[in-house]
Amino acid sequence: MEIDWLTTLAEQGDIAKGKATEVATLVVKPELPLEIASRLYRDVEKGAQTFDRILSDMEDADGSDELLEAADALAELWSQLSELAREI
């Protein structure tokens, strides 16, 4: 079964954008409860790890340069989200 990498990237992009919105909303809260900050960090890390596996699978499947560039941009977004969530 061949994977539709474009659809996969679009779905992963939507997930990353949703987490980015959540991080941006919570990072400005001065007294964010520890439980919520911890849950957000775990969610972001889980998303980043999932995307790392997808990126690895794409590279193994010799995805097109354009798709790999888009995947690299999403990987960078997950990395930035991870940093922000860690700082909350």
Side-chain angles (χ1 to χ4, degrees), residues 11-27 32 36-49 51-52 72-88:
E11 291 168 351
Q12 289 298 308
D14 289 344
I15 293 168
K17 287 177 192 172
K19 271 308 156 197
T21 299
E22 188 175 356
V23 168
T25 300
L26 294 177
V27 76
L32 185 66
I36 293 173
S38 295
R39 179 194 53 82
L40 178 62
Y41 179 71
R42 283 191 309 271
D43 288 351
V44 168
E45 284 301 304
K46 182 178 177 183
Q49 290 171 2
F51 191 73
D52 282 346
D72 285 341
L74 272 175
E76 179 59 29
L77 174 58
W78 279 112
S79 177
Q80 290 172 357
L81 288 173
S82 183
E83 276 186 44
L84 285 172
R86 191 177 310 116
E87 293 175 7
I88 293 178

Side-chain angles (χ1 to χ4, degrees), residues 2-21:
E2 190 169 321
I3 297 173
D4 180 351
W5 293 115
L6 186 58
T7 300
T8 299
L9 285 179
E11 291 168 351
Q12 289 298 308
D14 289 344
I15 293 168
K17 287 177 192 172
K19 271 308 156 197
T21 299

